[in-house]
Amino acid sequence: MKKNPANPLILKILILTIIPVLAAAETEDVAKKERTDVRIEGILEVGIDINNKVDEDKTNYNKIGFGKIEISARPAKRVRAEFGFEYDRGDDELVIDKLYGQYSFANFGLVRAGYMKKAFGLEEKAGLDERYFRKRSIINDGLEDLQFLDHDLTFQYRYRLNENWRLIGGFSWMDTARYLQNYSIEYGTKNTDLIFSTIIRHYNPPEKSITTFVSSLSFKHAAKLFVSETELTFGLNPRIKSFDDRDAFVWGVRMQEYFPIKVKTETLRQIIPIAEAALYSDDMESKDFDAQLRAGLTLGFAKNSAFQWRNTYGTVLRIQDSEKELRRRRFDSEVVVIF
């Protein structure tokens, strides 16, 4: 039997109905691909910090209240913006940790411009969620005091040679008289990281130009039962070079071991004992140096140890003329939430 032809009016209605739906679906699909990709990560810390400054004969009992949020957005293909800020109750101020734009001009290279960290060693590279000590080591403190590790206005180029090798070069501007160059070579596999980084600091006052540097060679290996870190630091002290007009070399050694023990329960997921030793001197000629010994225990709860209880204890000794002077003892206990 011959089929009846469709009513032209019905066809017209169907066409006018289906085409906008298909067009809307296609537009939604394209919009989905071009939609801004936004990621929010952060960390919250609450606890107590007992800082006994033995050489000053005083003890500070401080509440820990720290928060950091990082926002990453992709407004268009190959373009990304990074913004991070942190609040420390002790300083009672909100500080911008990072603020830069990134453009990936190829699969192997990208450029960044804005305020950011410099590429320098494992400790400076590690985020708060990767560190089990609340404070960084005396080496990092010393280099920050010498203004090598400030967050400055920076233009940075990153080039990936292959799956394992990456090169980083950067230029940072501090003010009209000071600027820095930054270079880093990084090798990384699933279980191993090797980083060599250098920061060159230029100071150009009206009297004369002063150039100093600091370099770091760091190695990390993650085995089945433990994770080891070793970092060697060497450089030229800009403060002594400027005021005393002599070459004073900075040096530091840091070694860390931690043992992530997995626990198969619904609540407690990890037990992480950690130990670290660091030596630092801002003037090699004096033969005096500081020694830092730290140990801690972290308990990780929930998936990926997103909820942690960290407890750490550390001391700083001053070694002078072969004599030891206890300068500081510190105990931290804090609850950490990583999201």
Side-chain angles (χ1 to χ4, degrees), residues 176-300:
T176 54
R178 292 173 294 182
Y179 64 93
L180 303 99
Q181 296 168 261
N182 180 207
Y183 305 100
S184 182
I185 303 173
E186 301 181 2
Y187 172 81
T189 63
K190 182 179 179 181
N191 298 320
T192 302
D193 290 292
L194 179 65
I195 304 173
F196 176 72
S197 301
T198 297
I199 299 174
I200 303 171
R201 185 176 183 270
H202 302 274
Y203 178 45
N204 298 310
E207 305 82 25
K208 62 177 180 179
S209 177
I210 298 173
T211 300
T212 54
F213 76 97
V214 65
S215 296
S216 170
L217 177 63
S218 50
F219 174 77
K220 178 180 180 179
H221 179 68
K224 187 175 182 180
L225 300 178
F226 63 89
V227 180
S228 299
E229 287 187 15
T230 301
E231 191 162 5
L232 308 176
T233 303
F234 183 77
L236 193 60
N237 190 316
R239 189 168 295 156
I240 295 177
K241 181 73 173 177
S242 179
F243 292 104
D244 297 347
D245 196 23
R246 69 178 178 88
D247 291 342
F249 291 99
V250 174
W251 65 269
V253 180
R254 184 182 68 89
M255 300 181 69
Q256 183 186 103
E257 297 279 343
Y258 64 93
F259 307 85
I261 303 170
K262 293 184 178 181
V263 181
K264 296 181 180 180
T265 65
E266 293 185 0
T267 53
L268 181 63
R269 298 297 182 93
Q270 272 190 319
I271 300 175
I272 308 172
I274 184 170
E276 182 181 84
L279 306 176
Y280 174 74
S281 172
D282 60 4
D283 186 359
M284 183 182 289
E285 187 176 318
S286 70
K287 297 182 181 179
D288 301 332
F289 61 92
D290 289 332
Q292 184 179 44
L293 301 173
R294 298 193 288 182
L297 181 68
T298 293
L299 303 180

Side-chain angles (χ1 to χ4, degrees), residues 57-116:
D57 193 26
K58 67 178 182 179
T59 302
N60 295 326
Y61 299 88
N62 301 313
K63 298 175 184 177
I64 298 173
F66 180 85
K68 181 175 181 179
I69 294 178
E70 296 181 354
I71 302 171
S72 174
R74 189 187 57 150
K77 188 178 180 181
R78 297 186 179 277
V79 177
R80 183 169 290 280
E82 297 274 352
F83 173 63
F85 60 92
E86 58 186 46
Y87 173 79
D88 193 333
R89 183 185 180 280
D91 300 329
D92 194 24
E93 60 180 356
L94 193 67
V95 178
I96 294 178
D97 180 63
K98 65 168 71 172
L99 178 64
Y100 65 83
Q102 172 181 300
Y103 176 67
S104 304
F105 57 87
N107 294 330
F108 54 82
L110 59 87
V111 292
R112 290 178 177 175
Y115 290 90
M116 69 193 79

Side-chain angles (χ1 to χ4, degrees), residues 117-214:
K117 281 184 178 183
K118 298 173 184 66
F120 192 78
L122 285 168
E123 186 176 25
E124 181 67 6
K125 180 182 177 182
L128 289 170
D129 57 327
E130 301 174 286
R131 305 197 325 259
Y132 298 105
F133 292 110
R134 180 171 177 263
K135 297 289 187 179
R136 299 183 193 267
S137 72
I138 54 174
I139 301 173
N140 194 274
D141 290 343
L143 296 182
E144 279 197 349
D145 185 54
L146 295 176
Q147 297 184 321
F148 278 110
L149 301 179
D150 290 339
H151 287 57
D152 300 309
L153 184 61
T154 300
F155 178 83
Q156 190 180 86
Y157 172 64
R158 294 175 170 243
Y159 180 81
R160 183 173 292 279
L161 289 173
N162 52 43
E163 186 178 345
N164 303 117
W165 289 93
R166 183 170 65 175
L167 307 178
I168 300 174
F171 176 89
S172 299
W173 183 75
M174 298 178 67
D175 53 41
T176 54
R178 292 173 294 182
Y179 64 93
L180 303 99
Q181 296 168 261
N182 180 207
Y183 305 100
S184 182
I185 303 173
E186 301 181 2
Y187 172 81
T189 63
K190 182 179 179 181
N191 298 320
T192 302
D193 290 292
L194 179 65
I195 304 173
F196 176 72
S197 301
T198 297
I199 299 174
I200 303 171
R201 185 176 183 270
H202 302 274
Y203 178 45
N204 298 310
E207 305 82 25
K208 62 177 180 179
S209 177
I210 298 173
T211 300
T212 54
F213 76 97
V214 65

